[in-house]
Amino acid sequence: MATQSEPRPLRIDAERNLRRLLDAAAEAFAEEGIEVSVAEIARRAEVGKGTLFRRFPTKGHLIAALVVARFDELAADGRELLDAEDPGAAMHAFLRDGIRMQVADRGFCQAAGEVVGTFDNVNAAHDEVFDVTERLLVRAQKAGAMRKDINAFDILALQYACAQAGTVLQDVAPDIWERYVDVIVDGLRPNAAHPLSHPPLTQAQVEKLHAIKKKRQAASA
Amino acid sequence: MATQSEPRPLRIDAERNLRRLLDAAAEAFAEEGIEVSVAEIARRAEVGKGTLFRRFPTKGHLIAALVVARFDELAADGRELLDAEDPGAAMHAFLRDGIRMQVADRGFCQAAGEVVGTFDNVNAAHDEVFDVTERLLVRAQKAGAMRKDINAFDILALQYACAQAGTVLQDVAPDIWERYVDVIVDGLRPNAAHPLSHPPLTQAQVEKLHAIKKKRQAASA
DNA sequence: ACCTGAACACCGTTCAAGT
DNA sequence: ACCTGAACACCGTTCAAGT
């Protein structure tokens, strides 16, 4: 929520076409991955290609819009988990929920890594996810369920990592990634902790990463 | 090694062009990722595009050839580690070496997931990696350095997972992935082990995965 | 045998013509 | 304001013409 202050409402037909486009794209990307052609998406939405490009200046912007939707879902899920009784279990559940979400959506999984840092609306949505992750983590750490030397970035990176591995194996063993989370969860327990060899990612580094990605995207345009 | 029995040697100029092509492609993919155009690769190699397609029926085949080279490297590295004194340290070193390799090569990291299962030569090379991984793992398990309920697939999946996360952050924190390996390594220790929620991947499932990928590739051709 | 670049099909993006 | 599809540039792949 609160991603942009809508300047003025769309015309009724435009609004309808936008919905169709988003639905068609979500379906197509989830099923076939982000390599589906925009022509195919326009066909599924029953609009001309030009209509798509009127709403989204680039195929990437359309992908970004869907990634935002998924991040919003995940953040909402995390907020609910903040009320759970067991802080450790809540943190673990969040870890799993995010992976399940990514693995179920082939397009999201392909796009997430590329698109974070590149689009402002994606960054905003991701910041919300980060916020909830941090609150869940601190809560779990205070309860003694989680080692203290890791931060929310680490959690999100490990979540992303598992999702990537899970996606490759999704066709043949849709939930084999649960094993990998199990191992990671074991490694995240306070009693398992051995000193980490590197300092965590700083906020400054994250911003630098975003700057690099935006520059790279601008260069290719 | 032993991927194919060469039927007859190439003409001297063809041999030279092949070398140039592989070198140019390795460089281009590592730097810019697999989205570099074949025209650009041909230009770097100073040959016509037709020459590229004479050696590699498809851009994918060229990518596959380079993935094979990397897998061979990794397998060789693993074989050396089999002679190390400390079996646990050797297993950990192998985990890290593979990730370092992937993170340093943008193209390899993008391609590895897609190309395993799709090309026979890649499968053969990957089987070798699997073999060494298994030997390293069993050795570490016998030494009591590694939990007993995981197998070589799990190790390779976790390695792949870390490499994926590491690649995204490579520009800004080239070795931040070491933290994630640290956590995973902690989760892989025998004393950290809690029961896993899912059975491991079977050999039959792996073969099924390969079959699916080949069918999918054939369908898109 | 092998090399080459023009030609083809396909895909993302633009835009002139329509309502 | 918005919609559309023909037109353009680019990329992977093919192939006729050359050595």
Side-chain angles (χ1 to χ4, degrees):
Chain A
M1 47 195 70
T3 49
Q4 205 81 5
S5 59
E6 254 85 21
R8 56 188 61 230
L10 293 169
R11 227 166 63 178
I12 358 85
D13 57 341
E15 178 66 44
R16 195 208 45 160
N17 284 341
L18 177 59
R19 258 278 64 103
R20 283 191 175 196
L21 236 13
L22 285 169
D23 290 344
E27 208 184 86
F29 287 144
E31 284 172 16
E32 312 192 32
I34 54 178
E35 55 267 354
V36 273
S37 66
V38 294
E40 165 71 12
I41 293 171
R43 205 186 53 70
R44 288 200 194 209
E46 294 177 47
V47 302
K49 297 188 287 181
T51 307
L52 192 160
F53 282 101
R54 164 160 262 270
R55 248 11 107 186
F56 305 98
T58 239
K59 189 185 182 183
H61 283 80
L62 175 55
I63 295 171
L66 293 169
V67 169
V68 166
R70 282 263 181 269
F71 278 153
D72 285 347
E73 274 181 60
L74 184 55
D77 179 66
R79 274 188 290 269
E80 278 189 31
L81 284 168
L82 274 170
D83 298 328
E85 342 71 78
D86 182 342
M91 179 79 264
H92 295 165
F94 180 75
L95 208 47
R96 284 173 206 278
D97 288 347
I99 296 167
R100 205 179 344 264
M101 203 172 269
Q102 291 185 57
V103 168
D105 184 339
R106 210 168 151 222
F108 177 73
C109 210
Q110 290 173 281
E114 297 287 320
V115 108
V116 173
T118 314
F119 295 91
D120 287 336
N121 54 343
V122 175
N123 292 349
H126 192 261
D127 284 349
E128 278 189 59
V129 173
F130 180 82
D131 260 30
V132 202
T133 308
E134 196 162 42
R135 303 224 298 272
L136 284 165
L137 176 61
V138 170
R139 198 161 154 264
Q141 284 170 329
K142 277 190 180 143
M146 211 45 109
R147 62 198 285 177
K148 295 243 166 68
D149 55 354
I150 58 148
N151 67 19
F153 276 124
D154 296 322
I155 296 288
L156 289 173
L158 286 164
Q159 189 182 53
Y160 174 78
C162 267
Q164 292 296 323
T167 303
V168 176
L169 300 167
Q170 196 228 346
D171 289 322
V172 68
D175 42 19
I176 192 78
W177 56 267
E178 302 252 16
R179 280 174 73 81
Y180 313 140
V181 190
D182 286 340
V183 171
I184 288 170
V185 161
D186 282 346
L188 289 170
R189 296 183 208 277
N191 57 316
H194 286 61
L196 297 171
S197 53
H198 279 71
L201 210 61
T202 65
Q203 188 60 39
Q205 283 178 303
V206 176
E207 274 155 29
K208 194 179 155 197
L209 180 65
H210 290 190
I212 290 171
K213 285 202 179 182
K214 273 186 201 157
K215 200 176 296 172
R216 189 176 295 163
Q217 197 211 9
S220 75
Chain B
M1 46 199 72
T3 49
Q4 206 82 8
S5 60
E6 255 85 20
R8 58 186 63 230
L10 293 169
R11 227 165 64 178
I12 359 86
D13 56 341
E15 178 66 44
R16 195 207 45 160
N17 284 340
L18 176 58
R19 258 280 62 109
R20 283 191 174 195
L21 236 13
L22 285 169
D23 290 345
E27 208 184 86
F29 287 145
E31 285 173 14
E32 311 192 31
I34 55 179
E35 54 268 353
V36 273
S37 66
V38 295
E40 165 70 10
I41 293 170
R43 204 186 53 69
R44 287 199 196 212
E46 293 177 46
V47 301
K49 296 188 288 182
T51 307
L52 191 160
F53 283 101
R54 165 161 260 269
R55 250 8 109 186
F56 306 97
T58 240
K59 188 184 182 183
H61 283 80
L62 174 55
I63 295 172
L66 293 168
V67 169
V68 166
R70 283 262 180 271
F71 278 154
D72 285 347
E73 275 180 59
L74 184 56
D77 179 65
R79 272 188 291 269
E80 278 188 32
L81 284 168
L82 274 171
D83 299 328
E85 341 72 77
D86 181 343
M91 179 79 266
H92 295 164
F94 180 75
L95 207 48
R96 283 173 207 279
D97 288 346
I99 297 167
R100 206 179 344 262
M101 203 172 269
Q102 291 185 57
V103 169
D105 185 338
R106 208 164 153 226
F108 177 74
C109 209
Q110 290 174 281
E114 297 287 320
V115 108
V116 173
T118 314
F119 296 91
D120 288 335
N121 55 343
V122 175
N123 291 350
H126 191 261
D127 284 349
E128 280 189 58
V129 173
F130 180 82
D131 260 30
V132 202
T133 308
E134 196 162 43
R135 303 223 301 271
L136 284 164
L137 176 61
V138 171
R139 196 159 154 266
Q141 284 170 329
K142 276 189 182 146
M146 211 46 110
R147 61 197 286 178
K148 295 244 165 68
D149 54 354
I150 58 147
N151 67 16
F153 276 124
D154 297 322
I155 296 287
L156 289 173
L158 287 164
Q159 189 182 51
Y160 174 79
C162 267
Q164 292 295 324
T167 303
V168 176
L169 301 167
Q170 196 229 345
D171 289 322
V172 68
D175 41 20
I176 192 78
W177 56 266
E178 302 251 17
R179 279 174 75 80
Y180 314 140
V181 189
D182 287 338
V183 170
I184 288 170
V185 161
D186 281 345
L188 289 170
R189 296 184 208 278
N191 57 316
H194 287 61
L196 298 171
S197 53
H198 279 72
L201 209 62
T202 64
Q203 189 59 40
Q205 283 177 302
V206 177
E207 274 155 28
K208 194 179 156 199
L209 179 64
H210 291 190
I212 290 172
K213 285 203 179 181
K214 274 186 201 159
K215 200 177 296 171
R216 188 176 296 163
Q217 197 210 9
S220 75

